[in-house]
Amino acid sequence: MKNMNKKGAIEITATAIVVFIIAIVVLGAVIYFIQSFFPNVFNIVETQLETIKQTLRTQLKSGEKVAFDFGSELKIKSGDKKDIYMGVKNDYPNPSGDSVCFRVALTCVKAFNTDRPECKNTLVGGVDLTGNKATTKWFGAENLLESWSIKNNEFDAQGPLSLQPTVPSDIYSIRADVYKDQANADCTSPSFASIPYYSKQFRLIVQ
């Protein structure tokens, strides 16, 4: 009986060792996969973002201070989600720092084909001058737009700003108002000028 118990204990121990070895091998394979795969993903994302930034820079060379990666017109189906990118050029230096604070408000000005109550100078994204956030949210990433720090005399891109309009099919005029700190200060305690630093409109075609 004792010999049988010893034999059983040895078999259990051997099985445990085999299971442990298999677990170590599987864990090593998983770690290798993560290390091999995710750097490539990050590299792809960085490459795409750099391409988008270059597109925005090209648009801003025309003298404009605000640009979108899609240009001046965007098509989307109602309820669908699309990631967009926005670029702003800061033409001012901070007299006591290396960046200036900006804020973006996205307003649906009007619908072209039908009088729609959800688009009558309605804040649909970002944060307005007084700090109000959109109650009808078409654009995400409010935290990115509420206080946007841009280096002195440089350009910066922000995104992705997830766009998801749940409105009827129509053509909507969207205005982006970009406000700048009136003293060209950073985002520590910003005080934005009442007149937009720059405004840009685009057409949103909801299908």
Side-chain angles (χ1 to χ4, degrees):
M1 182 67 69
K2 290 183 179 180
N3 290 334
M4 292 181 62
N5 290 338
K6 287 181 180 180
K7 184 178 179 181
I10 291 172
E11 288 179 351
I12 293 173
T13 303
T15 302
I17 291 173
V18 171
V19 171
F20 178 75
I21 292 173
I22 293 174
I24 292 296
V25 171
V26 171
L27 179 61
V30 171
I31 292 173
Y32 175 79
F33 173 78
I34 292 173
Q35 289 178 336
S36 301
F37 179 73
F38 280 96
N40 292 332
V41 172
F42 293 142
N43 289 337
I44 291 171
V45 171
E46 288 178 0
T47 301
Q48 290 177 339
L49 182 57
E50 189 54 41
T51 301
I52 291 169
K53 285 185 176 182
Q54 187 57 47
T55 300
L56 294 172
R57 286 192 188 97
T58 301
Q59 292 185 42
L60 293 171
K61 286 181 180 179
S62 64
E64 294 192 8
K65 295 178 176 62
V66 176
F68 293 93
D69 64 320
F70 53 82
S72 59
E73 183 176 287
L74 178 63
K75 294 181 180 180
I76 189 173
K77 291 183 179 180
S78 180
D80 282 1
K81 182 180 289 187
K82 185 177 180 63
D83 287 342
I84 65 173
Y85 291 80
M86 179 180 184
V88 173
K89 182 182 179 184
N90 173 22
D91 282 341
Y92 290 86
N94 182 336
S96 57
D98 63 354
S99 63
V100 177
C101 196
F102 292 83
R103 170 177 289 178
V104 180
L106 294 157
T107 301
C108 189
V109 181
K110 66 176 182 178
F112 284 94
N113 298 327
T114 307
D115 183 24
R116 300 194 182 281
E118 61 267 59
C119 184
K120 289 186 175 180
N121 288 313
T122 307
L123 184 68
V124 292
V127 183
D128 69 11
L129 185 61
T130 59
N132 294 319
K133 297 183 178 181
T135 54
T136 303
K137 295 181 180 180
W138 295 14
F139 298 85
E142 286 178 341
N143 59 317
L144 299 179
L145 300 175
E146 184 171 5
S147 56
W148 184 352
S149 179
I150 303 178
K151 297 290 185 181
N152 295 342
N153 299 306
E154 290 188 14
F155 150 88
D156 190 28
Q158 196 73 278
L161 311 174
S162 296
L163 169 63
Q164 190 174 24
T166 54
V167 289
S169 298
D170 208 325
I171 300 175
Y172 299 86
S173 176
I174 307 295
R175 186 184 70 242
D177 292 318
V178 180
Y179 297 94
K180 178 181 67 67
D181 184 89
Q182 56 188 349
N184 298 332
D186 59 25
C187 292
T188 303
S189 183
S191 177
F192 297 101
S194 57
I195 299 175
Y197 165 72
Y198 198 83
S199 294
K200 183 178 178 67
Q201 289 190 236
F202 65 87
R203 297 201 316 166
L204 179 64
I205 303 174
V206 179
Q207 299 172 326

